[in-house]
């Protein structure tokens, strides 16, 4: 278990990916709560209602999703209250080797890291420790 435990939000249209990520996070023990969303619009609706204490510390965000992709989520996220936007550490996760997607993710000031699927939980934990999230 980690010294600091955080709340994590997972946003991915693949239910299997959500299940596996939640299990890996629970095994590593760095989260006290995992919120899972298949629909990014529902995730934004939740974020509109939370406050600095109830909002997640970390969002793992898929890029390619129907309805609202990861970049559309970021555009909606950016319009949330500044204390919420500033508090949440966003990591994009993608199975895409699309150069444009990867460049857009790396260029966004909201995105702190980009990892390719399948996500290495060890690489994620290293990133979170390095950036003082955990």
């Amino acid at each position: 278990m980690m010294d600091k435990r955080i709340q994590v939000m997972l946003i991915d249209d693949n239910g299997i990916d959500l299940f596996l990520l939640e299990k890996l996070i629970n095994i590593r023990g760095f989260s006290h709560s995992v919120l899972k969303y298949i629909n990014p619009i529902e995730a934004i609706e939740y974020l509109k209602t939370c406050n600095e204490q109830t909002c997640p510390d970390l969002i793992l965000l898929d890029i390619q999703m129907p309805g609202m992709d990861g970049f559309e989520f970021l555009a909606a996220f950016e319009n949330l209250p500044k204390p919420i936007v500033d508090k949440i550490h966003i990591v994009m996760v993608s199975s895409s080797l699309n150069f444009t997607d990867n460049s857009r993710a790396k260029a966004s000031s909201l995105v702190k890291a980009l990892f390719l699927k399948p996500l290495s939980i060890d690489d994620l934990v290293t990133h979170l420790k390095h950036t003082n999230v955990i």
Side-chain angles (χ1 to χ4, degrees), residues 1 5 13 25 37 57 61 69 77 85 95 100 118 127 133:
M1 185 156 57
R5 297 181 72 204
D13 63 314
I25 288 166
Y37 289 91
D57 303 289
L61 176 64
D69 69 19
F77 177 84
V85 171
S95 56
T100 303
H127 165 77
V133 175

PDB file of all heavy atoms in Angstrom, residues 1 5 13 25 37 57 61 69 77 85 95 100 118 127 133:
ATOM      1  N   MET A   1       0.838  -1.183   0.000  1.00  0.00           N
ATOM      2  CA  MET A   1       0.000   0.000   0.000  1.00  0.00           C
ATOM      3  C   MET A   1       0.883   1.247   0.000  1.00  0.00           C
ATOM      4  O   MET A   1       1.933   1.274   0.607  1.00  0.00           O
ATOM      5  CB  MET A   1      -0.924  -0.014   1.209  1.00  0.00           C
ATOM      6  CG  MET A   1      -1.892   1.133   1.197  1.00  0.00           C
ATOM      7  SD  MET A   1      -3.402   0.903   2.125  1.00  0.00           S
ATOM      8  CE  MET A   1      -2.823   0.546   3.742  1.00  0.00           C
ATOM      9  N   ARG A   5      -3.087   7.695  -0.395  1.00  0.00           N
ATOM     10  CA  ARG A   5      -4.107   7.036  -1.199  1.00  0.00           C
ATOM     11  C   ARG A   5      -5.022   8.084  -1.794  1.00  0.00           C
ATOM     12  O   ARG A   5      -5.421   9.022  -1.123  1.00  0.00           O
ATOM     13  CB  ARG A   5      -4.878   6.028  -0.347  1.00  0.00           C
ATOM     14  CG  ARG A   5      -3.908   4.929   0.137  1.00  0.00           C
ATOM     15  CD  ARG A   5      -4.588   3.885   0.947  1.00  0.00           C
ATOM     16  NE  ARG A   5      -5.407   3.074   0.056  1.00  0.00           N
ATOM     17  CZ  ARG A   5      -6.470   2.389   0.457  1.00  0.00           C
ATOM     18  NH1 ARG A   5      -6.854   2.410   1.704  1.00  0.00           N
ATOM     19  NH2 ARG A   5      -7.160   1.668  -0.394  1.00  0.00           N
ATOM     20  N   ASP A  13     -14.529   3.434 -22.783  1.00  0.00           N
ATOM     21  CA  ASP A  13     -15.728   2.799 -23.321  1.00  0.00           C
ATOM     22  C   ASP A  13     -15.638   1.276 -23.331  1.00  0.00           C
ATOM     23  O   ASP A  13     -16.606   0.603 -23.648  1.00  0.00           O
ATOM     24  CB  ASP A  13     -16.032   3.322 -24.730  1.00  0.00           C
ATOM     25  CG  ASP A  13     -14.935   2.992 -25.736  1.00  0.00           C
ATOM     26  OD1 ASP A  13     -13.753   3.189 -25.407  1.00  0.00           O
ATOM     27  OD2 ASP A  13     -15.255   2.561 -26.851  1.00  0.00           O
ATOM     28  N   ILE A  25      -5.335  -1.282  -9.892  1.00  0.00           N
ATOM     29  CA  ILE A  25      -5.232  -0.175  -8.935  1.00  0.00           C
ATOM     30  C   ILE A  25      -5.461  -0.682  -7.519  1.00  0.00           C
ATOM     31  O   ILE A  25      -4.729  -0.328  -6.596  1.00  0.00           O
ATOM     32  CB  ILE A  25      -6.231   0.946  -9.315  1.00  0.00           C
ATOM     33  CG1 ILE A  25      -5.740   1.664 -10.577  1.00  0.00           C
ATOM     34  CG2 ILE A  25      -6.424   1.929  -8.162  1.00  0.00           C
ATOM     35  CD1 ILE A  25      -6.777   2.556 -11.236  1.00  0.00           C
ATOM     36  N   TYR A  37     -16.415   5.088 -15.435  1.00  0.00           N
ATOM     37  CA  TYR A  37     -17.386   5.600 -16.393  1.00  0.00           C
ATOM     38  C   TYR A  37     -17.087   5.054 -17.783  1.00  0.00           C
ATOM     39  O   TYR A  37     -15.981   5.207 -18.289  1.00  0.00           O
ATOM     40  CB  TYR A  37     -17.368   7.130 -16.440  1.00  0.00           C
ATOM     41  CG  TYR A  37     -17.947   7.758 -15.205  1.00  0.00           C
ATOM     42  CD1 TYR A  37     -17.136   8.079 -14.129  1.00  0.00           C
ATOM     43  CD2 TYR A  37     -19.316   7.997 -15.112  1.00  0.00           C
ATOM     44  CE1 TYR A  37     -17.678   8.631 -12.976  1.00  0.00           C
ATOM     45  CE2 TYR A  37     -19.854   8.549 -13.959  1.00  0.00           C
ATOM     46  CZ  TYR A  37     -19.034   8.866 -12.902  1.00  0.00           C
ATOM     47  OH  TYR A  37     -19.571   9.412 -11.764  1.00  0.00           O
ATOM     48  N   ASP A  57      -8.600  12.712  -7.680  1.00  0.00           N
ATOM     49  CA  ASP A  57      -7.260  13.281  -7.768  1.00  0.00           C
ATOM     50  C   ASP A  57      -6.631  12.967  -9.122  1.00  0.00           C
ATOM     51  O   ASP A  57      -5.769  13.694  -9.599  1.00  0.00           O
ATOM     52  CB  ASP A  57      -6.369  12.693  -6.666  1.00  0.00           C
ATOM     53  CG  ASP A  57      -6.958  12.934  -5.297  1.00  0.00           C
ATOM     54  OD1 ASP A  57      -6.941  14.094  -4.852  1.00  0.00           O
ATOM     55  OD2 ASP A  57      -7.466  11.974  -4.681  1.00  0.00           O
ATOM     56  N   LEU A  61      -7.919   8.566 -18.723  1.00  0.00           N
ATOM     57  CA  LEU A  61      -8.846   8.902 -19.795  1.00  0.00           C
ATOM     58  C   LEU A  61      -8.451   8.240 -21.104  1.00  0.00           C
ATOM     59  O   LEU A  61      -7.351   8.460 -21.608  1.00  0.00           O
ATOM     60  CB  LEU A  61      -8.857  10.436 -19.961  1.00  0.00           C
ATOM     61  CG  LEU A  61      -9.676  11.035 -21.083  1.00  0.00           C
ATOM     62  CD1 LEU A  61     -11.167  10.768 -20.889  1.00  0.00           C
ATOM     63  CD2 LEU A  61      -9.403  12.538 -21.180  1.00  0.00           C
ATOM     64  N   ASP A  69     -15.081  11.839 -27.510  1.00  0.00           N
ATOM     65  CA  ASP A  69     -13.744  11.256 -27.379  1.00  0.00           C
ATOM     66  C   ASP A  69     -12.973  11.959 -26.262  1.00  0.00           C
ATOM     67  O   ASP A  69     -13.474  12.902 -25.631  1.00  0.00           O
ATOM     68  CB  ASP A  69     -12.990  11.251 -28.710  1.00  0.00           C
ATOM     69  CG  ASP A  69     -12.580  12.631 -29.208  1.00  0.00           C
ATOM     70  OD1 ASP A  69     -12.532  13.602 -28.409  1.00  0.00           O
ATOM     71  OD2 ASP A  69     -12.274  12.750 -30.408  1.00  0.00           O
ATOM     72  N   PHE A  77     -14.003  19.501 -19.801  1.00  0.00           N
ATOM     73  CA  PHE A  77     -13.327  19.536 -18.504  1.00  0.00           C
ATOM     74  C   PHE A  77     -12.736  20.912 -18.223  1.00  0.00           C
ATOM     75  O   PHE A  77     -12.814  21.428 -17.113  1.00  0.00           O
ATOM     76  CB  PHE A  77     -12.233  18.457 -18.474  1.00  0.00           C
ATOM     77  CG  PHE A  77     -11.409  18.441 -17.228  1.00  0.00           C
ATOM     78  CD1 PHE A  77     -11.854  17.769 -16.103  1.00  0.00           C
ATOM     79  CD2 PHE A  77     -10.182  19.085 -17.170  1.00  0.00           C
ATOM     80  CE1 PHE A  77     -11.099  17.746 -14.934  1.00  0.00           C
ATOM     81  CE2 PHE A  77      -9.411  19.068 -16.018  1.00  0.00           C
ATOM     82  CZ  PHE A  77      -9.876  18.393 -14.893  1.00  0.00           C
ATOM     83  N   VAL A  85     -10.289  21.872 -11.905  1.00  0.00           N
ATOM     84  CA  VAL A  85      -9.368  21.619 -13.020  1.00  0.00           C
ATOM     85  C   VAL A  85      -7.934  21.530 -12.511  1.00  0.00           C
ATOM     86  O   VAL A  85      -7.168  20.638 -12.901  1.00  0.00           O
ATOM     87  CB  VAL A  85      -9.507  22.719 -14.101  1.00  0.00           C
ATOM     88  CG1 VAL A  85      -8.412  22.610 -15.156  1.00  0.00           C
ATOM     89  CG2 VAL A  85     -10.891  22.653 -14.747  1.00  0.00           C
ATOM     90  N   SER A  95      -4.956   3.039 -27.151  1.00  0.00           N
ATOM     91  CA  SER A  95      -4.471   1.893 -27.919  1.00  0.00           C
ATOM     92  C   SER A  95      -4.082   2.357 -29.316  1.00  0.00           C
ATOM     93  O   SER A  95      -3.607   1.584 -30.123  1.00  0.00           O
ATOM     94  CB  SER A  95      -5.550   0.809 -27.992  1.00  0.00           C
ATOM     95  OG  SER A  95      -6.733   1.357 -28.542  1.00  0.00           O
ATOM     96  N   THR A 100      -1.298  11.836 -34.750  1.00  0.00           N
ATOM     97  CA  THR A 100      -2.049  13.059 -34.446  1.00  0.00           C
ATOM     98  C   THR A 100      -2.637  13.003 -33.042  1.00  0.00           C
ATOM     99  O   THR A 100      -2.536  13.972 -32.279  1.00  0.00           O
ATOM    100  CB  THR A 100      -3.168  13.279 -35.486  1.00  0.00           C
ATOM    101  OG1 THR A 100      -2.571  13.323 -36.789  1.00  0.00           O
ATOM    102  CG2 THR A 100      -3.912  14.576 -35.237  1.00  0.00           C
ATOM    103  N   PRO A 118      -1.673  -1.989 -23.628  1.00  0.00           N
ATOM    104  CA  PRO A 118      -2.150  -2.161 -22.265  1.00  0.00           C
ATOM    105  C   PRO A 118      -1.289  -1.357 -21.293  1.00  0.00           C
ATOM    106  O   PRO A 118      -0.067  -1.341 -21.393  1.00  0.00           O
ATOM    107  CB  PRO A 118      -2.020  -3.660 -22.007  1.00  0.00           C
ATOM    108  CG  PRO A 118      -0.925  -4.108 -22.921  1.00  0.00           C
ATOM    109  CD  PRO A 118      -1.009  -3.194 -24.129  1.00  0.00           C
ATOM    110  N   HIS A 127       5.171   7.161 -12.586  1.00  0.00           N
ATOM    111  CA  HIS A 127       4.793   8.528 -12.994  1.00  0.00           C
ATOM    112  C   HIS A 127       4.113   9.266 -11.839  1.00  0.00           C
ATOM    113  O   HIS A 127       4.433  10.424 -11.571  1.00  0.00           O
ATOM    114  CB  HIS A 127       3.858   8.473 -14.211  1.00  0.00           C
ATOM    115  CG  HIS A 127       3.159   9.768 -14.461  1.00  0.00           C
ATOM    116  ND1 HIS A 127       3.800  10.849 -15.044  1.00  0.00           N
ATOM    117  CD2 HIS A 127       1.901  10.173 -14.191  1.00  0.00           C
ATOM    118  CE1 HIS A 127       2.945  11.849 -15.106  1.00  0.00           C
ATOM    119  NE2 HIS A 127       1.784  11.474 -14.609  1.00  0.00           N
ATOM    120  N   VAL A 133       1.737  12.772  -7.081  1.00  0.00           N
ATOM    121  CA  VAL A 133       0.306  12.504  -6.972  1.00  0.00           C
ATOM    122  C   VAL A 133       0.076  11.506  -5.843  1.00  0.00           C
ATOM    123  O   VAL A 133      -0.890  11.618  -5.092  1.00  0.00           O
ATOM    124  CB  VAL A 133      -0.271  12.009  -8.313  1.00  0.00           C
ATOM    125  CG1 VAL A 133      -1.742  11.601  -8.159  1.00  0.00           C
ATOM    126  CG2 VAL A 133      -0.119  13.085  -9.386  1.00  0.00           C
TER     127      VAL A 133
END
